[in-house]
């Protein structure tokens, strides 16, 4: 008995998200079709010129913008950034950060520190539990 392996496919929006690019900036043939898992893998391992260009210069989707600015997607929204930004726009914000960006970066830093603290506490509790009640 042989098993027939079906080809996995995804919507262009899902593929764009996995590739870290803004869907509306991709070529029409990408937006209008479906993308198979094999095609996605090929795009990731050997990106065509349009994909390299989008990754380098944008416009970038909000998750990429947030990561490059060191803040959260919610922080972008609070700062009034609702549209995709290009690499040049992101760099301009980094060079001369507005008050909202400074505030959001500080908040993000606090969140990371608190996450580290909680993880260390959980790890210590797990180690104490593993050592048993006599330890």
């Amino acid at each position: 008995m042989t098993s027939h392996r079906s080809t996995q496919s995804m919507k262009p929006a899902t593929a764009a998200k996995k590739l870290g690019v803004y869907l509306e900036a991709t070529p029409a043939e990408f937006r209008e079709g479906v993308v198979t898992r094999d095609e996605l893998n090929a795009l990731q391992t050997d990106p065509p010129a349009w994909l390299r260009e989008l990754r380098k210069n944008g416009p970038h989707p909000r998750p990429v913008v947030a990561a490059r600015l060191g803040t959260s997607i919610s922080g972008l929204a609070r700062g009034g950034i609702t549209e995709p930004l290009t690499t040049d726009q992101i760099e301009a914000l980094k060079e001369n950060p507005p008050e909202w960006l400074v505030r959001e970066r500080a908040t993000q830093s606090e969140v990371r520190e608190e996450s580290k603290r909680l993880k260390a506490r959980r790890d210590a509790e797990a180690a104490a539990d593993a050592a048993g009640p006599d330890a």
Side-chain angles (χ1 to χ4, degrees), residues 107-122:
T107 300
Q108 191 71 3
S109 178
E110 290 170 10
V111 168
R112 283 190 207 106
E113 288 302 315
E114 181 65 6
S115 293
K116 283 182 197 175
R117 186 187 70 76
L118 291 174
K119 182 183 181 319
R121 187 168 129 196
R122 283 192 305 271

Side-chain angles (χ1 to χ4, degrees), residues 24-92:
E24 284 73 20
T26 61
E29 59 269 10
F30 180 85
R31 289 191 310 267
E32 295 166 0
V34 295
V35 180
T36 66
R37 173 62 64 189
D38 291 338
E39 290 170 335
L40 179 69
N41 289 340
L43 287 169
Q44 289 173 326
T45 56
D46 186 23
W50 64 265
L51 182 54
R52 287 191 306 271
E53 179 67 20
L54 277 178
R55 285 179 169 168
K56 182 179 178 187
N57 297 316
H60 302 287
R62 287 180 306 175
V64 173
V65 173
R68 288 187 178 192
L69 289 175
T71 186
S72 65
I73 294 172
S74 298
L76 290 178
R78 286 189 292 271
I81 304 295
T82 58
E83 297 296 318
L85 298 179
T86 64
T87 299
D88 290 342
Q89 291 169 316
I90 293 169
E91 291 304 316

Side-chain angles (χ1 to χ4, degrees), residues 10 12-21 37 40 44 55:
M10 61 194 82
T14 303
K17 188 174 186 178
K18 289 180 182 285
L19 293 169
V21 295
R37 173 62 64 189
L40 179 69
Q44 289 173 326
R55 285 179 169 168

